[in-house]
Amino acid sequence: MKRMIVLLLASVTILACNKSQKEDQGHEISNNQTVQPANDAGSENKFDIEHIPYSTADLGNFPFMILPKGLKEMNKPLKKSFDVCFFPINGKMTAFEGQLYKANISAEQGQEFSQHYFEKSMEDLLRSVGAVKVFDGEITQKEYDSYNKQDPNKGEEGDMGYPGEAIKFYVIRSKEMGDIYVQYTANNAAGKLNILQSKNAHN
């Protein structure tokens, strides 16, 4: 009888250890997961501009962004005092209204365009004025198909928001200048830059 009790206790102990190890492995996997920002169209409500702090930088005049040294506007940029532009909120192209600037960016004559230089320079500049990155990724073909016909400037100068384009989107909040939306994309040949200023200043 004593031997049977010992065997039963040993079996229970082994089972408990196995269960504990599986639970520990499960916690380990869970703790090692990297939580990525939501990039699906159903998560657009997770973006709240009220959570973005105000910038105290002197932004200057619209369109605010001075191109990095060695870069220039490829052609005449699209400039409108009031229009609509689509920006990716969690992968969903979302319309914002305001003063609009859209341009293709190339290297100065005699120089070669560097995608890394353009992207790094833009990131450094935006962060220096208190911009907050909202999105960094691509939109799906389905999302492009759902919004592109609503964009009155589709195909014009500086247009972006196509599947396969890596879009970086930042927001600057200013009490004096309102909300400023900046997105850019680039490849080995050239870049594109969009800036929209919502003129509702925050008092």
Side-chain angles (χ1 to χ4, degrees):
M1 178 66 75
K2 285 183 179 178
R3 186 179 176 188
M4 186 169 289
I5 291 170
V6 170
L7 287 171
L8 283 170
L9 286 171
S11 299
V12 170
T13 303
I14 291 168
L15 287 170
C17 286
N18 286 340
K19 184 179 179 183
S20 176
Q21 285 177 352
K22 286 180 180 177
E23 286 176 350
D24 288 344
Q25 287 174 356
H27 289 309
E28 216 171 285
I29 293 169
S30 177
N31 290 336
N32 287 334
Q33 284 177 345
T34 302
V35 179
Q36 298 292 338
N39 285 335
D40 59 282
S43 301
E44 66 270 18
N45 58 353
K46 291 188 178 181
F47 171 75
D48 184 357
I49 197 167
E50 297 299 327
H51 292 163
I52 295 177
Y54 289 110
S55 168
T56 57
D58 182 2
L59 300 173
N61 298 319
F62 184 85
F64 311 112
M65 300 292 106
I66 298 173
L67 288 177
K69 185 179 179 180
L71 299 179
K72 66 174 185 176
E73 297 165 343
M74 191 181 297
N75 304 303
K76 183 179 179 181
L78 182 149
K79 292 182 180 179
K80 296 192 176 180
S81 58
F82 186 81
D83 210 330
V84 63
C85 188
F86 287 77
F87 296 83
I89 303 292
N90 298 310
K92 181 176 177 61
M93 296 302 284
T94 306
F96 292 92
E97 294 179 329
Q99 189 171 4
L100 180 61
Y101 167 94
K102 300 177 81 170
N104 290 327
I105 309 299
S106 65
E108 292 279 5
Q109 188 172 2
Q111 299 187 40
E112 290 189 14
F113 182 85
S114 165
Q115 178 180 353
H116 178 73
Y117 173 69
F118 172 70
E119 292 178 339
K120 182 69 167 58
S121 299
M122 290 302 303
E123 180 181 16
D124 290 346
L125 174 59
L126 286 161
R127 291 192 183 281
S128 73
V129 295
V132 175
K133 184 186 283 186
V134 175
F135 181 84
D136 187 347
E138 302 175 7
I139 65 165
T140 64
Q141 182 68 52
K142 181 179 179 182
E143 179 56 27
Y144 174 78
D145 292 340
S146 73
Y147 96 93
N148 78 91
K149 291 182 180 178
Q150 303 171 51
D151 187 347
N153 299 308
K154 209 76 202 139
E156 296 290 338
E157 196 72 11
D159 184 37
M160 68 180 77
Y162 296 89
E165 280 186 327
I167 303 172
K168 300 180 190 298
F169 171 36
Y170 288 78
V171 173
I172 307 168
R173 295 194 78 201
S174 168
K175 289 187 176 181
E176 295 77 26
M177 309 303 290
D179 300 325
I180 300 159
Y181 304 90
V182 181
Q183 64 182 353
Y184 59 91
T185 185
N187 54 33
N188 288 329
K192 291 185 278 189
L193 174 63
N194 295 174
I195 302 169
L196 182 138
Q197 177 191 18
S198 174
K199 295 183 179 178
N200 297 322
H202 303 279
N203 297 319

